[in-house]
Amino acid sequence: MDERIERQIAFALEIDKVKNVFRQTHLSSHGRKENDAEHSWHMAVMAYLLKEYANEEIDIAKVMLMCLIHDIVEIDAGDTYAYDAEGLKTQKAREEAAKERIFSILPEEQRAELAALFDEFEAYETAESKFVHAIDNLQPLILNDSNDGGDWREHGVTAGQVYQRQGKTKLGSDKLFEITDGIIQKNIQKGNLKVN
């Protein structure tokens, strides 16, 4: 093999490790905890299905690729639970170091392309990144709702915490925030989210 394809295949093998990064969110029907690969795949399909609800015109291929690569850094950085205040303090530094190591496996122009796409997601400025964040927020929300709020109850998450996390969803999609708000309100009424 020449060096280019050797590096591409090495990267493909490296990202297989995403399948071993488990999140706090459980699969629907009270299944096991989902892994990052499942989360990213689910997001990519959801983004395609729900693209008509983006607030702005989006490049759906770019959105789907962003969905698929946004959590690759967790191979090294680990999954930081959305409501883990201590973990969130070091998340950016851990993920930045992971981005440098993991994407550097690729040939230079592919490294630059995927690192730039990850940075775009993190910056939260483009129509695509705002929509991906909306999907990234909605995906675990619908799973948790399907499990009668089990993950929220397990971690003692409050409605205020969920609203704070979901606050930027409306930047990517007013419609998806409307759906989100309905799910949160339903779970407050059912006692799955405490009002703080």
Side-chain angles (χ1 to χ4, degrees):
M1 280 192 289
D2 65 34
E3 182 187 353
R4 178 177 176 81
I5 196 165
E6 191 172 341
R7 293 178 72 171
Q8 291 165 326
I9 289 173
F11 180 80
L13 187 58
E14 181 67 18
I15 65 172
D16 182 66
K17 294 176 183 175
V18 170
K19 298 172 188 172
N20 287 313
V21 179
F22 286 88
R23 299 164 44 82
Q24 292 301 311
T25 307
H26 286 78
L27 302 176
S28 61
S29 303
H30 303 279
R32 63 165 168 76
K33 289 182 177 180
E34 75 173 342
N35 66 46
D36 273 354
E38 293 163 331
H39 165 67
S40 299
W41 162 83
H42 200 186
M43 278 180 60
V45 175
M46 287 176 62
Y48 183 81
L49 295 174
L50 302 173
K51 65 184 181 217
E52 66 196 85
Y53 304 113
N55 286 346
E56 303 173 66
E57 183 91 12
I58 55 171
D59 175 344
I60 193 59
K62 183 179 187 182
V63 163
M64 292 174 75
L65 183 55
M66 196 179 287
C67 288
L68 292 170
I69 64 113
H70 82 289
D71 275 346
I72 285 174
V73 294
E74 293 184 3
I75 291 168
D76 290 358
D79 176 60
T80 304
Y81 184 48
Y83 306 107
D84 174 6
E86 284 304 306
L88 290 169
K89 291 177 185 176
T90 62
Q91 179 182 18
K92 185 157 183 59
R94 287 182 285 117
E95 290 186 352
E96 189 63 27
K99 177 189 81 171
E100 294 305 318
R101 184 194 73 78
I102 297 165
F103 291 133
S104 71
I105 296 169
L106 285 164
E108 177 53 32
E109 87 283 357
Q110 289 183 321
R111 181 210 63 76
E113 176 189 6
L114 293 189
L117 196 60
F118 177 82
D119 290 342
E120 180 179 337
F121 170 76
E122 289 292 306
Y124 218 124
E125 295 170 352
T126 63
E128 288 81 9
S129 66
K130 291 174 189 175
F131 188 63
V132 172
H133 275 281
I135 297 294
D136 196 22
N137 288 341
L138 180 63
Q139 189 268 349
L141 189 90
I142 65 171
L143 288 180
N144 202 9
D145 181 53
S146 79
N147 289 321
D148 201 30
D151 296 324
W152 291 320
R153 288 194 319 275
E154 177 185 340
H155 295 282
V157 176
T158 66
Q161 288 175 295
V162 179
Y163 272 120
Q164 183 176 7
R165 174 157 177 82
Q166 297 286 340
K168 290 185 175 179
T169 296
K170 64 179 81 172
L171 297 176
S173 173
D174 291 327
K175 182 65 175 177
L176 296 185
F177 183 77
E178 182 185 316
I179 301 301
T180 295
D181 185 46
I183 290 170
I184 295 169
Q185 288 300 313
K186 177 177 78 171
N187 280 278
I188 290 170
Q189 291 170 3
K190 291 171 85 174
N192 296 328
L193 284 168
K194 299 204 182 315
V195 179
N196 52 334

